[in-house]
Amino acid sequence: MNHQLLDEAAQKLIRQAGERIKDSLHKQMTVTEKTSSSDLVTNIDIETEQFFVDQVSKQFPEHRLLGEEGSGDVITSFDGYVWIVDPIDGTTNFINQQRNFCITVGIYKDGIGELGYIYQVMTGEMISAIRGQGAFQNGVKLHPLTPVAFEDSLIGVNASWVAPNRHIDHERVARLIKRVRGTRSYGSAALEISYVVTGRLDAYFSMRLSAWDVAGGMVIANEVGALSGTLGGAPFDLLKKQPFVIANPALFEELIKDYLVK
Ligand code: IPD
Ligand code: CA
Ligand code: CA
Ligand code: CA
């Protein structure tokens, strides 16, 4: 399969899905609780995922699709081409703010990330990558990340770190937060990953993410030299819900060793 053509098709689908989401903002939407009042899904999340399922099965019948809302395939292994889709990353932002949410897609072949996308719907910013060919911001090639010192860095953190949780050592994370220039919490993992690969943030970590939150971002990360993995530095397992960190290569090792590994 020609990845240049696959890239064109994927970008077209993502932009079309984005237009559908924008059109839906003028209509009544249905919000449903999944596991709690902070875990929501709307009819637009579900319809957007269904749009990808329909279009991918029509255009690429041999490809499979793993989506957050479950309308794709049941994936237990990553043989062949698999589209990993989060139709709306940042559903709470979508509902409460109508901004700061993304469509993110990773296309993997035999478990290797080949193409990655993070599309910020309301700004139209498309971050994309093809493995081995670089990462792009609205079609313009992104430079490899330049080294940064902890003291000058801005770090994205899922704000739930302040609540007790078993994934981190509170005191060490507090020390990290005192050492860096500042922290931000935007409420969309994909958006925060897009900020790391473009140098607007120097790292981002979260206590529990799934394949669809990070699959596209990890492909883009590789192309600009950002490093990612679990909080212990192991490769992120796309079949599990896990803690996740992505960082500028100058920070990654120390970030894990001194602050994040438990
Ligand atoms: C969520 C967002 C959020 C992160 C959650 C994710 P969703 O994705 O990325 O920033 O903290 O863990 O589940 O549900 O809005 O697609
Ligand atoms: Ca969700
Ligand atoms: Ca998500
Ligand atoms: Ca989602």
Side-chain angles (χ1 to χ4, degrees):
M1 166 133 318
N2 178 324
H3 286 179
Q4 215 74 48
L5 293 178
L6 185 55
D7 175 54
E8 279 169 33
Q11 290 210 30
K12 191 169 171 197
L13 278 183
I14 293 167
R15 287 182 207 278
Q16 282 173 346
E19 286 309 305
R20 293 164 66 99
I21 294 173
K22 277 198 273 180
D23 289 345
S24 76
L25 291 173
H26 311 292
K27 298 181 194 141
Q28 179 80 28
M29 91 169 110
T30 316
V31 180
T32 313
E33 280 187 18
K34 289 168 89 177
T35 57
S36 70
S37 61
S38 59
D39 180 14
L40 304 173
V41 62
T42 74
N43 59 312
I44 313 305
D45 297 68
I46 292 167
E47 286 166 31
T48 305
E49 185 170 298
Q50 192 61 52
F51 171 77
F52 279 102
V53 170
D54 293 345
Q55 292 297 322
V56 170
S57 69
K58 201 161 95 186
Q59 297 183 33
F60 305 99
E62 70 285 9
H63 293 191
R64 295 183 297 154
L65 188 148
L66 170 66
E68 180 185 5
E69 309 307 342
S71 29
D73 299 283
V74 176
I75 300 288
T76 52
S77 77
F78 284 93
D79 309 333
Y81 280 94
V82 181
W83 293 53
I84 306 175
V85 177
D86 195 338
I88 298 183
D89 182 65
T91 295
T92 304
N93 289 348
F94 174 61
I95 295 167
N96 286 50
Q97 308 182 324
Q98 295 82 51
R99 71 196 67 209
N100 297 325
F101 60 90
C102 302
I103 298 171
T104 182
V105 175
I107 306 180
Y108 282 59
K109 186 189 177 202
D110 298 330
I112 294 173
E114 296 288 351
L115 301 111
Y117 305 92
I118 300 172
Y119 181 59
Q120 208 187 136
V121 175
M122 300 311 286
T123 64
E125 180 175 83
M126 173 75 83
I127 310 292
S128 64
I130 306 181
R131 185 170 70 91
Q133 295 182 34
F136 304 86
Q137 178 179 27
N138 291 332
V140 178
K141 197 158 188 175
L142 286 167
H143 297 294
L145 294 178
T146 50
V148 61
F150 271 90
E151 286 66 23
D152 302 327
S153 68
L154 194 55
I155 292 201
V157 189
N158 184 313
S160 67
W161 81 273
V162 293
N165 76 78
R166 64 193 163 89
H167 299 295
I168 54 160
D169 175 332
H170 235 83
E171 273 178 31
R172 285 159 74 208
V173 173
R175 262 191 273 133
L176 167 71
I177 285 172
K178 272 195 208 147
R179 183 177 174 195
V180 297
R181 179 175 289 168
T183 57
R184 298 291 182 267
S185 188
Y186 294 97
S188 157
L191 180 66
E192 290 164 282
I193 293 168
S194 81
Y195 284 179
V196 175
V197 298
T198 51
R200 297 166 186 163
L201 287 176
D202 303 298
Y204 163 71
F205 66 92
S206 186
M207 270 54 75
R208 249 181 133 220
L209 293 179
S210 300
W212 41 80
D213 300 308
V214 303
M218 289 197 305
V219 180
I220 303 167
N222 285 338
E223 297 302 315
V224 295
L227 300 176
S228 69
T230 65
L231 300 189
F236 187 87
D237 182 344
L238 292 171
L239 292 171
K240 287 193 193 143
K241 209 169 201 170
Q242 280 176 303
F244 175 81
V245 56
I246 176 168
N248 182 294
L251 302 181
F252 191 75
E253 232 173 89
E254 196 176 340
L255 183 60
I256 290 204
K257 192 166 58 72
D258 291 356
Y259 301 107
L260 298 181
V261 72
K262 219 180 151 189

